[in-house]
Amino acid sequence: MKKLQNPKNLFRLPALLLVWTLLCACALPGAAAKEDGSLHIKLGIATGLREAPAAELDCAWDDSWFAGDPGTYDSGLARAAMALSAAAYEGEDDPPGVRQALEDLGFDRVRSYNYHAAALSAGKTAYTFGLKTVLDEAGSLVHLAAVIIRGTGSYTEWAGNLNVGEGRDHQGFAAARDELLANLDRYLTQAKVTGKDRETTRFFLTGHSRGGAAANLTAARLTEEKNTVFAYTFASPAVSLDGKEEGYQNIFNTVRGDDLVTLVPLGGWGYRRYGADIPLPVLGDEGYDEAFKAMSKAYKDLTGRSYSVYKDPSAVEDMTASLGRLAPDVKRANLRLLSALLTGDLEGVSALVEADPSGAVSLGRAALEISAVLTPLLQSERAGLTSAHCMAGYLCWMEAAE
């Protein structure tokens, strides 16, 4: 039991595996203007890079996107969604980037939730709602509700990221979904979007990293309730043992195979995303060199920094393999103990150790052994991990893939 008396050694390094994103800040967007029937705004975004945290880009928008089939991938809507997801990272008290962007795009009643640090917990995420009317495929006016969810923006949210739990859905992300849906229902009721109007309302959801996970689960729930949902997530981790594409073809998850965050919780445990994964190029793909060249130029133009590649091409594979050794499968691994170890829940660790002493010792020993392997790997590959996961990287890879 002595190995569990210093829990910092047990959870500090494995926890780094599952920390979804960096704290970011973004600039204010410019004014909206109409060109050729489309709406264009200057949008301030957070890049995800400490050295160059903010950037500005042109964002195009077209309400006609939402008169189409939500099950058909739209690259224009995807780019706008990623830009709004990047704009959602802003400050502890208020997200002026995404709020201003939604207003410039014609949304009313724009309201943000949980951006105050004191309001956040492991069971919440920060998000912004907006409401406008658009034409549907029959030419009738319907409401469009925007739901823009921020990725990890506070240390208090990390515990939710790491809280896999024992249910069918990732417990931390599911708690964030439930809190959001309760506020969304109140928001629409206060806006007098009820009855028939509520039934015909269309939903646009997006988010990056933790925000992508919450958006994925929220979109799945709204889809199950027979709503018309346009959902685009980016760099989302896996969210559920029930995740699947069939029946959720309106949810598009843009991911990169060398982005560690998109690979956890492990597929070997049975975790998946709802909807269809849209893979971005990775080393070994046909045409990768040409795409990388285009992405690198866009990345340098946007951030003023060079894109960092992995020093060891197998680094991410080695990291996920190490986590798999720590907890081989969801049935045999005590995920409650694993989550408690990774999040530093000392009271939870103590209670679980008392309930299962032998299992605690075994898992604690494995964590220490694997940490010794992960320490140099995480330190040496930090720049590559950041580039692979950050908002600027996703934006520029999407541009190159086009």
Side-chain angles (χ1 to χ4, degrees):
M1 301 306 296
K2 291 183 179 179
K3 289 184 181 291
L4 292 179
Q5 290 177 358
N6 186 5
K8 290 183 179 179
N9 291 331
L10 295 179
F11 63 79
R12 180 179 296 160
L13 291 170
L16 293 175
L17 276 173
L18 304 180
V19 173
W20 311 122
T21 190
L22 303 173
L23 297 176
C24 304
C26 64
L28 290 172
K34 290 199 172 185
E35 297 178 6
D36 301 327
S38 297
L39 189 63
H40 294 258
I41 65 171
K42 288 287 187 180
L43 178 63
I45 64 161
T47 64
L49 305 177
R50 290 183 179 179
E51 303 82 1
E56 187 178 77
L57 51 78
D58 292 319
C59 179
W61 179 271
D62 195 330
D63 285 348
S64 68
W65 289 331
F66 302 97
D69 177 9
T72 300
Y73 179 82
D74 190 299
S75 60
L77 178 53
R79 287 193 297 273
M82 181 61 236
L84 289 168
S85 295
Y89 291 86
E90 175 66 24
E92 293 184 353
D93 296 329
D94 198 23
V98 70
R99 286 174 59 86
Q100 185 64 53
L102 287 177
E103 290 173 359
D104 287 347
L105 293 174
F107 286 88
D108 296 319
R109 298 179 177 270
V110 177
R111 181 176 178 184
S112 297
Y113 298 75
N114 300 332
Y115 271 86
H116 291 271
L120 281 171
S121 70
K124 295 181 180 179
T125 192
Y127 47 87
T128 300
F129 297 153
L131 195 64
K132 70 183 302 186
T133 55
V134 297
L135 294 176
D136 65 11
E137 60 276 9
S140 300
L141 281 174
V142 295
H143 290 288
L144 173 67
V147 180
I148 316 298
I149 310 177
R150 186 187 68 182
T152 305
S154 166
Y155 286 98
T156 57
E157 295 173 274
W158 289 359
N161 293 345
L162 301 172
N163 183 17
V164 178
E166 297 178 289
R168 301 297 296 175
D169 294 335
H170 182 294
Q171 185 170 325
F173 300 145
R177 170 202 62 198
D178 294 343
E179 193 269 348
L180 185 155
L181 281 170
N183 275 332
L184 180 60
D185 183 65
R186 284 190 287 269
Y187 170 83
L188 292 173
T189 299
Q190 291 169 2
K192 303 188 184 308
V193 181
T194 58
K196 184 65 174 178
D197 286 343
R198 175 67 174 79
E199 293 175 8
T200 60
T201 295
R202 305 197 161 199
F203 294 88
F204 164 55
L205 293 96
T206 190
H208 170 269
S209 194
R210 172 181 170 85
N216 187 275
L217 282 174
T218 303
R221 177 65 60 81
L222 289 171
T223 298
E224 291 162 0
E225 295 173 353
K226 308 303 182 184
N227 293 283
T228 301
V229 179
F230 297 77
Y232 289 76
T233 80
F234 306 90
S236 171
V239 298
S240 178
L241 295 170
D242 296 325
K244 59 183 179 179
E245 180 175 354
E246 184 180 358
Y248 304 91
Q249 291 91 337
N250 56 309
I251 303 174
F252 299 100
N253 310 298
T254 300
V255 296
R256 294 199 72 231
D258 64 356
D259 177 1
L260 179 62
V261 170
T262 67
L263 303 175
V264 290
L266 298 180
W269 294 349
Y271 282 84
R272 301 289 186 272
R273 285 170 284 272
Y274 286 96
D277 281 359
I278 307 298
L280 292 172
V282 292
L283 186 64
D285 287 350
E286 183 178 355
Y288 174 81
D289 291 342
E290 182 179 354
F292 181 82
K293 182 178 179 180
M295 180 281 303
S296 296
K297 182 182 184 305
Y299 191 86
K300 186 68 175 287
D301 291 344
L302 181 66
T303 68
R305 297 291 188 274
S306 296
Y307 186 90
S308 296
V309 298
Y310 292 107
K311 298 175 183 177
D312 178 358
S314 65
V316 171
E317 183 179 349
D318 292 344
M319 292 178 193
T320 54
S322 294
L323 186 57
R325 291 194 297 272
L326 175 61
D329 61 60
V330 72
K331 294 181 180 178
R332 287 189 287 120
N334 188 329
L335 291 183
R336 290 177 62 200
L337 181 57
L338 178 61
S339 293
L341 287 169
L342 293 174
T343 59
D345 179 4
L346 304 186
E347 292 185 2
V349 169
S350 297
L352 292 165
V353 167
E354 185 175 341
D356 184 11
S358 61
V361 170
S362 175
L363 188 58
R365 184 178 296 113
L368 286 172
E369 293 173 353
I370 291 169
S371 291
V373 176
L374 291 175
T375 301
L377 198 55
L378 287 165
Q379 290 176 340
S380 65
E381 299 291 0
R382 178 177 177 178
L385 290 166
T386 299
S387 289
H389 182 63
C390 72
M391 293 78 76
Y394 268 77
L395 281 162
C396 295
W397 272 116
M398 289 171 66
E399 181 177 333
E402 286 296 317

